Amino acid sequence: MNDELMKAIEAIAPQDESTTLADSMLLGFDTETTGIAAGRDAIVSATLVLRDPSKGYDGDVIATWIVNPHHPMNPRASEVNGFTDEFLAEHGAEPTEAIDEIAALIAAAQARRIPLLAYNAPFDLAMLNGDVTRWKLATLDERQAAEGVSPMPLLVVDPLVIDRKVSRRKGKRTLTDTTFYYGVEPHGDFHDATADTIAAVDLITPMSTLYPQVGHLALGDLMAWQRAAYVDWRDSFNDWLSSRGRAPIHGDWL
């Protein structure tokens, strides 16, 4: 277990539902994977970053993992993230240990109503859930119940969903493009789980400054607001797809 991060999380009093996003503690999360198919592909690298908004980047508590997925890298994924089967077999931790640690830390943060922040969160959460299922590990709900905490709906912040709602700019909305738009300077190279996690967490301050309605979002309203924001974007995107004779997308956000 990453003792430093767990101790930092356990030292935080549970946050109130009236806590605003701008003032909230955040647990950033990002993964690099063998491919993009959750349940089939697997996590090979992950980072968790605990951010205290009063301290900013200098106060971050960071935990990182390299994981041996026991699953071959997709060549295209390897080109993006740089991981090879040989490197992961030699340097990766066993997934039953690494994924268990990641899930335990997220569950501890959720029990204190510390939102999990991830850019395009459904992808990273699907990959985590796929590995939890693959290795027959306890789910986040089961972990909270084991600690005597009534399982609560997952509290998540997705800067991509927020940005699509408040920013009407044209063009791509990759993490690289979005951080450039908001003037966020990366700490390291993109497609590295740690650099990507920090960059995603860094987005909240400029988003809250440019769009006060984002910073004023209360944790108790956060999930419903993001779900509605996603539906607005999806419906608008489907109109655009339809105008070009393309099939619509389906489903909701988380």
Side-chain angles (χ1 to χ4, degrees):
M1 177 60 64
N2 189 293
D3 292 337
E4 182 184 8
L5 181 54
M6 182 59 84
K7 288 178 180 177
I9 292 172
E10 291 177 340
I12 299 169
Q15 299 193 128
D16 190 87
E17 288 200 345
S18 64
T19 301
T20 64
L21 181 56
D23 295 327
S24 177
M25 301 288 294
L26 299 168
L27 186 67
F29 179 49
D30 188 67
T31 64
E32 298 296 332
T33 61
T34 61
I36 61 173
R40 184 184 70 200
D41 285 304
I43 293 171
V44 299
S45 174
T47 297
L48 288 171
V49 174
L50 182 65
R51 170 66 59 86
D52 182 337
S54 68
K55 298 177 181 178
Y57 169 74
D58 290 338
D60 285 351
V61 183
I62 302 172
T64 64
W65 293 264
I66 301 295
V67 186
N68 179 359
H70 298 282
H71 181 91
M73 287 291 305
N74 181 299
R76 291 186 178 180
S78 186
E79 287 178 7
V80 172
N81 59 40
F83 288 109
T84 64
D85 296 334
E86 294 75 17
F87 177 89
L88 295 169
E90 181 178 354
H91 300 284
E94 285 301 308
T96 49
E97 298 175 3
I99 303 302
D100 188 63
E101 287 186 359
I102 295 166
L105 288 159
I106 293 173
Q110 288 289 306
R112 290 156 180 80
R113 304 311 284 156
I114 300 171
L116 185 70
L117 183 149
Y119 198 85
N120 191 21
F123 174 80
D124 295 290
L125 284 168
M127 296 304 301
L128 177 63
N129 289 333
D131 276 358
V132 165
T133 300
R134 176 183 293 110
W135 301 109
K136 297 180 174 59
L137 302 173
T139 66
L140 298 180
D141 282 352
E142 290 169 344
R143 291 170 192 275
Q144 291 189 55
E147 293 183 9
V149 178
S150 298
M152 296 174 283
L154 201 62
L155 186 59
V156 176
V157 177
D158 190 335
L160 175 59
V161 171
I162 295 172
D163 178 59
R164 283 170 171 165
K165 178 63 176 179
V166 297
S167 170
R168 299 304 180 186
R169 73 182 189 280
K170 296 181 179 180
K172 295 181 179 179
R173 302 208 184 213
T174 66
L175 178 60
T176 304
D177 295 311
T178 303
T179 52
F180 179 79
Y181 175 77
Y182 286 98
V184 169
E185 294 289 337
H187 297 272
D189 297 325
F190 288 109
H191 298 301
D192 168 85
T194 301
D196 286 358
T197 307
I198 294 170
V201 174
D202 281 345
L203 284 169
I204 296 304
T205 295
M207 282 182 170
S208 298
T209 301
L210 281 172
Y211 306 103
Q213 68 269 37
V214 172
H216 294 157
L217 271 173
L219 297 187
D221 301 325
L222 184 61
M223 295 303 289
W225 188 93
Q226 289 178 105
R227 289 192 177 102
Y230 179 84
V231 169
D232 287 346
W233 169 82
R234 182 199 64 198
D235 292 349
S236 175
F237 186 54
N238 280 339
D239 288 343
W240 181 86
L241 291 173
S242 177
S243 71
R244 286 157 177 77
R246 295 167 61 182
I249 62 171
H250 300 285
D252 297 317
W253 176 82
L254 294 179

